[in-house]
Amino acid sequence: MAAHISKAAVIGSGVMGASIAAHLANAGIPSLLLDIVPKSLTAEEEAKGLTLESPTVRNRLAAGALAKLPSIKPSPLYDDAFVSRITPGNIEDDLHRIKDVDWVIEVVVENLAVKQSLLEKIEAHWKPGTIVSSNTSGISINAMAEGRGDAFKSHFLGTHFFNPPRYMKLMEIIPGEQTDPAIVSQMSAFSERALGKGVVVAKDTPNFVGNRIGTYGLLATLQVMADKRLTVDEIDAITGPAMGRPKSATFRTLDLVGIDTFVHVANNVFEKVDNEAEKAVFEPSQLLKDLVARGWIGEKAGGGFYKKVKGEKGSEILSLDLGTMDYAKGKKPASASLEAAKAAKGAKEKTKAMLGGKDKYAEAAWEIVKLTLVYAAEKVGEIADTIVDIDKAMKWGFSWELGPFELWDAIGLVRSVERMEAEGTQVPAWVKDWIAAGNKSFYQKEAGSVAYAYDGKFRAVEQPREIISLRALKEQNKVIRGNSGASLIDVGDGVAALEFHSPNNAIGADILMMIQQSVEEVRKNYDSLIIANEGRHFCVGANIMLLLMEAQDEEWDEVDAIIRLFQDTMMKLKHFEKPVVAAPHRMTLGGGVEVCLPADEMALNAETYFGLVEVGVGLIPAGGGCKELTLRLSQANPNSEVDLQPHINELFLNIGTAKVSTSAHDARGLGYLRSNDRVIMNQDYLIYEAKQAALRLTQAGYEAPRAQKIRVVGSDGKAVLKMGALGMHQSGYISAHDLLIAKKLAHVLAGGDVPANTLVTEQYMLDLEREAFLSLCGEPKTQQRMQHMLAKGKALRN
């Protein structure tokens, strides 16, 4: 059961505290944001005649932090309006108000004495039953709680958000010795469902789980770099995607985190562990100390291991030469192992290719991996109960594609341990015992479930029933039918799920045919249909490679057939007599949006970036996107006396500028969502929530939507849209080809050359879309844009 949190208080309004308050606001939870009272006035406050007793002065720190939230990039808020859910205040005047909240989060400086002092003040106003937590990255929870009462201790724990809180999935929950286990369970469930987090329960040890392994791995990498005499660029080439890790790799990550912050985190372990060998590893190197002394601590100081400078051809990134301590243009490393890793597909194969080479980069990668894997194995039971917890912490907190034990399985557990021991590396006894018992991996799959090594035997990974895995269902032979682009899967209770699995989930003829077949299958044998997948992105749009090839060959009948197939398929979805629920996540662009719009409901992950972006490749939406959105505007404003023009103008601007939402909530603000479309915080629960929506619609006695006429603004409205586009062209904001596209779009959105308030059919609007799309496909500059997108992955302005 999740904790009931209806209101919270965040104490400490620094970057982390304000961002945590922002994420609570994202989740719909109002909060107090409190900080200390300033000890002096600013010049501006003096000029206004304010004093240290003025409320605006006393609340300055928290209020100032809130004022900055909308300008932070990437934004900590799903919608800038959510900042109104946060109330600023100060500790001296407002701490008593915590009696009205359900959760108090301490987010002050990482100093034990400061935290202890604040907790003493919090307890003085504490209401029994209120949960209190510390957002510490490594200070002992038990040490913080010293001197507090038993009742308070039972409700006190660590809740370590990783930065930035909105975007990083990991939440480490750290119980103290006296924390009520029920509170741990309730906060874990709350953090997962309400805040969208992936929770790892950590032991109260220095730096907990993620930072313990991550810091060790970075320090081990620095040691290998020194031993192998490698450069900053070489190490980052090795420790990025070539090993299933982020592009920021090692040194860009350090620059982002802040080298001074990293040194502080490393020192925390160095000062608190007793093992001399471990202590030696965590002592920050002289290089790191020198960089901190110079003030070269990363991006926040203008440079660290990398530095951005302006050159004759614009900005360029220089890297630090560790021999001369000068910045210079780096050389892109190249080797057989790096090329093999680049060519391989997926993190497992990339890492195997990287480690399987014979060059110096492969040797360095092996040393880094070997040290990290052995250390992670040594810490099982000490920092977390299971290998699963450690793997999750590294994937969710450091964006590794494979956790340490998953990586060990990928490269071959038995073979790699044999190599380690041959090189004189001491492998933890439990790992050797595990292999001696006949086991060849830490994880094993069986009938769609996963088990992991635990206490000498395999234990099943517990999966909440609210998490539906399409991958697991496919392994259980639940596929109803499928082709190269999509599959229809039985998810139980009369619900079938349509999953895209083409490259990038781009929509081609295979997916469209599968949608049509799915409609027929569900019509005969199921109660409802959901459209969902577990790809990195829901759908990046239509297969423009196919369209470009047909356009270049001037096969206009083929292009027309493709668009007709898309439109007809979407109309089948829209008017299907059984419920359809779409569950988009992350990138949902172009044709991906057009697949979602006909659905009866959408269950969107909060981090959904939703937009009709076809103008970026010189086209307009033609799969029903223009039609569906103008229909919604007409339905919302059926009275002909209501002026549709302002709404059409906004839609024209959104589509014409290829605007993409920054979140699902932003998509609502852009007019893409209806009142019944729901935002789901945790993507892991998205398919379950879509299924529940489908069941709910079925049980309510679903009736398919009837065909409706669309009220359009007509030729007069089109003239308004074209005038706006012409003004942008004359001002230099858009090119001549952009203007041509805008005129085509205006013609479609306005409903063509008919009088204002004319009622037209859906098919009429689809015909306008298709005609405009076909004409643009024949334009050389549109074909150039399509070619550029395929080659470079970004839009061309021509």
Side-chain angles (χ1 to χ4, degrees), residues 449-469:
S449 63
V450 179
Y452 63 97
Y454 181 80
D455 198 22
K457 57 183 179 293
F458 278 109
R459 172 197 273 190
V461 175
E462 294 183 10
Q463 187 84 316
R465 70 176 184 85
E466 295 91 349
I467 296 179
I468 296 175
S469 168

Side-chain angles (χ1 to χ4, degrees), residues 389-697:
D389 291 325
I390 292 175
D391 279 349
K392 286 179 176 178
M394 300 315 297
K395 290 191 293 183
W396 293 341
F398 285 78
S399 299
W400 291 11
E401 291 190 51
L402 300 171
F405 299 96
E406 292 172 330
L407 173 57
W408 216 331
D409 280 357
I411 64 175
L413 173 60
V414 176
R415 184 171 62 252
S416 60
V417 167
E418 288 173 351
R419 180 177 174 182
M420 290 173 185
E421 293 194 299
E423 294 171 354
T425 301
Q426 187 173 349
V427 177
W430 78 265
V431 175
K432 292 193 288 185
D433 291 344
W434 179 252
I435 294 172
N439 297 299
K440 296 181 180 180
S441 64
F442 289 115
Y443 291 92
Q444 71 173 13
K445 281 188 176 181
E446 200 171 297
S449 63
V450 179
Y452 63 97
Y454 181 80
D455 198 22
K457 57 183 179 293
F458 278 109
R459 172 197 273 190
V461 175
E462 294 183 10
Q463 187 84 316
R465 70 176 184 85
E466 295 91 349
I467 296 179
I468 296 175
S469 168
L470 298 181
R471 187 178 297 106
L473 288 170
K474 287 192 287 186
E475 290 172 357
Q476 296 168 33
N477 299 315
K478 297 292 185 179
V479 175
I480 303 164
R481 58 169 63 198
N483 61 25
S484 60
S487 296
L488 187 67
I489 303 163
D490 187 342
V491 295
D493 301 313
V495 181
L498 177 64
E499 176 201 36
F500 300 165
H501 45 66
S502 63
N504 295 316
N505 288 343
I507 298 171
D510 49 1
I511 286 180
L512 294 174
M513 293 305 298
M514 195 64 232
I515 294 174
Q516 296 217 16
Q517 291 172 20
S518 296
V519 167
E520 293 305 314
E521 182 70 39
V522 172
R523 176 175 285 123
K524 294 174 184 175
N525 300 312
Y526 291 85
D527 297 325
S528 58
L529 174 68
I530 64 174
I531 305 173
N533 65 69
E534 295 168 329
R536 182 179 179 190
H537 301 295
F538 177 78
C539 177
V540 298
N543 185 340
I544 61 172
M545 171 71 83
L546 174 63
L547 286 168
L548 177 61
M549 290 171 60
E550 299 291 3
Q552 287 177 332
D553 291 341
E554 298 186 358
E555 296 286 353
W556 304 121
D557 288 343
E558 290 297 324
V559 176
D560 183 72
I562 292 169
I563 303 309
R564 284 182 185 274
L565 177 62
F566 201 150
Q567 292 182 343
D568 291 347
T569 304
M570 296 306 102
M571 287 293 279
K572 278 186 169 63
L573 275 181
K574 180 175 178 62
H575 295 289
F576 187 34
E577 63 269 21
K578 295 186 177 182
V580 177
V581 177
H585 64 274
R586 298 191 67 81
M587 290 295 182
T588 303
L589 306 175
V593 170
E594 291 179 303
V595 167
C596 294
L597 292 178
D600 299 293
E601 283 191 21
M602 283 192 283
L604 305 88
N605 177 235
E607 296 293 347
T608 299
Y609 315 123
F610 204 81
L612 293 167
V613 296
E614 285 83 353
V615 297
V617 288
L619 300 167
I620 69 158
C626 296
K627 178 269 297 182
E628 190 62 30
L629 291 172
T630 53
L631 172 60
R632 290 185 185 183
L633 290 177
S634 175
Q635 289 172 329
N637 302 278
N639 190 333
S640 61
E641 295 179 1
V642 176
D643 187 6
L644 276 177
Q645 192 69 50
H647 304 291
I648 293 293
N649 292 349
E650 185 176 355
L651 179 59
F652 177 69
L653 186 63
N654 288 342
I655 298 176
T657 58
K659 186 173 288 186
V660 176
S661 74
T662 57
S663 70
H665 288 284
D666 187 44
R668 190 181 298 280
L670 294 176
Y672 290 128
L673 273 59
R674 299 155 297 190
S675 60
N676 62 329
D677 294 326
R678 297 177 57 232
V679 177
I680 310 302
M681 290 292 284
N682 193 328
Q683 188 177 322
D684 294 342
Y685 295 86
L686 189 59
I687 297 173
Y688 171 83
E689 293 293 348
K691 177 182 174 181
Q692 296 308 302
L695 291 172
R696 188 171 60 253
L697 286 168

Side-chain angles (χ1 to χ4, degrees), residues 51-89:
T51 71
L52 291 176
E53 297 306 311
S54 300
T56 55
V57 174
R58 296 177 72 80
N59 295 341
R60 183 214 305 156
L61 296 180
L66 292 187
K68 292 177 184 175
L69 282 177
S71 63
I72 295 174
K73 301 298 179 187
S75 177
L77 294 161
Y78 290 150
D79 186 316
D80 287 349
F82 290 175
V83 77
S84 64
R85 296 172 177 172
I86 309 170
T87 304

Side-chain angles (χ1 to χ4, degrees), residues 12-14 18 33-48 50-69 87-94:
S13 66
L33 181 63
L34 310 181
D35 212 316
I36 60 173
V37 173
K39 291 182 168 52
S40 61
L41 296 172
T42 65
E44 184 179 357
E45 288 167 343
E46 287 182 350
K48 290 180 177 178
L50 300 175
T51 71
L52 291 176
E53 297 306 311
S54 300
T56 55
V57 174
R58 296 177 72 80
N59 295 341
R60 183 214 305 156
L61 296 180
L66 292 187
K68 292 177 184 175
L69 282 177
T87 304
N90 69 80
I91 295 170
E92 291 182 20
D93 300 330
D94 301 302

Side-chain angles (χ1 to χ4, degrees), residues 146 201 293 351 423 461 586 758 791:
E146 287 180 5
V201 177
T351 306
E423 294 171 354
V461 175
R586 298 191 67 81
T758 297

Side-chain angles (χ1 to χ4, degrees), residues 116-428:
Q116 287 176 326
S117 175
L118 177 59
L119 290 175
E120 182 178 5
K121 294 175 183 176
I122 290 173
E123 187 176 25
H125 298 282
W126 179 68
K127 179 184 67 179
T130 302
I131 296 166
V132 181
S133 71
S134 172
N135 180 63
T136 178
S137 60
I139 295 178
S140 169
I141 301 303
N142 291 311
M144 273 191 260
E146 287 180 5
R148 307 280 60 80
D150 289 345
F152 184 92
K153 286 180 180 179
S154 72
H155 286 73
F156 178 64
L157 69 164
T159 50
H160 179 209
F161 289 81
F162 270 59
N163 192 30
R166 169 182 166 181
Y167 300 95
M168 295 304 295
K169 185 171 181 177
L170 180 60
M171 160 83 87
E172 290 179 328
I173 288 185
I174 312 100
E177 291 175 356
Q178 292 181 240
T179 307
D180 184 345
I183 298 293
V184 176
S185 297
Q186 290 167 16
M187 286 302 292
S188 296
F190 169 80
S191 299
E192 288 180 354
R193 295 305 299 267
L195 302 182
K197 295 299 174 187
V199 172
V200 167
V201 177
K203 306 279 190 178
D204 189 18
T205 57
N207 288 10
F208 312 129
V209 182
N211 280 342
R212 185 70 169 269
I213 303 296
T215 303
Y216 178 90
L218 283 165
L219 290 168
T221 301
L222 286 168
Q223 186 58 55
V224 170
M225 179 176 72
D227 293 344
K228 303 287 185 182
R229 297 177 181 240
L230 298 176
T231 67
V232 166
D233 294 293
E234 288 173 322
I235 286 293
D236 271 2
I238 296 167
T239 59
M243 284 169 52
R245 298 183 188 177
K247 291 180 180 179
S248 57
T250 297
F251 295 111
R252 283 186 172 84
T253 297
L254 279 171
D255 279 357
L256 287 167
V257 169
I259 296 167
D260 55 336
T261 301
F262 177 76
V263 168
H264 172 79
V265 172
N267 266 323
N268 192 52
V269 182
F270 172 73
E271 292 168 358
K272 292 175 182 174
V273 296
D274 297 324
N275 183 287
E276 289 303 320
E278 187 174 11
K279 185 180 281 287
V281 172
F282 279 93
E283 182 175 12
S285 67
Q286 191 58 48
L287 168 63
L288 294 176
K289 293 176 181 176
D290 288 345
L291 289 173
V292 173
R294 290 170 181 249
W296 298 358
I297 55 175
E299 281 196 3
K300 61 187 177 185
F305 286 101
Y306 293 95
K307 186 176 185 179
K308 182 184 283 189
V309 298
K310 288 186 177 180
E312 294 180 0
K313 297 181 180 180
S315 296
E316 60 178 344
I317 305 294
L318 306 181
S319 54
L320 185 62
D321 184 321
L322 301 180
T324 64
M325 295 301 283
D326 291 324
Y327 289 98
K329 190 170 183 179
K331 296 179 181 179
K332 188 175 181 179
S335 77
S337 60
L338 287 171
E339 287 303 312
K342 185 177 181 180
K345 300 294 184 184
K348 291 182 180 180
E349 295 306 315
K350 285 181 180 294
T351 306
K352 285 166 67 176
M354 186 73 234
L355 299 181
K358 301 297 182 183
D359 53 50
K360 66 177 182 179
Y361 297 144
E363 292 174 2
W366 165 251
E367 289 297 321
I368 292 166
V369 166
K370 176 178 69 174
L371 291 168
T372 306
L373 296 185
V374 169
Y375 186 74
E378 289 174 349
K379 296 299 137 189
V380 175
E382 179 184 334
I383 63 175
D385 283 332
T386 71
I387 64 171
V388 178
D389 291 325
I390 292 175
D391 279 349
K392 286 179 176 178
M394 300 315 297
K395 290 191 293 183
W396 293 341
F398 285 78
S399 299
W400 291 11
E401 291 190 51
L402 300 171
F405 299 96
E406 292 172 330
L407 173 57
W408 216 331
D409 280 357
I411 64 175
L413 173 60
V414 176
R415 184 171 62 252
S416 60
V417 167
E418 288 173 351
R419 180 177 174 182
M420 290 173 185
E421 293 194 299
E423 294 171 354
T425 301
Q426 187 173 349
V427 177

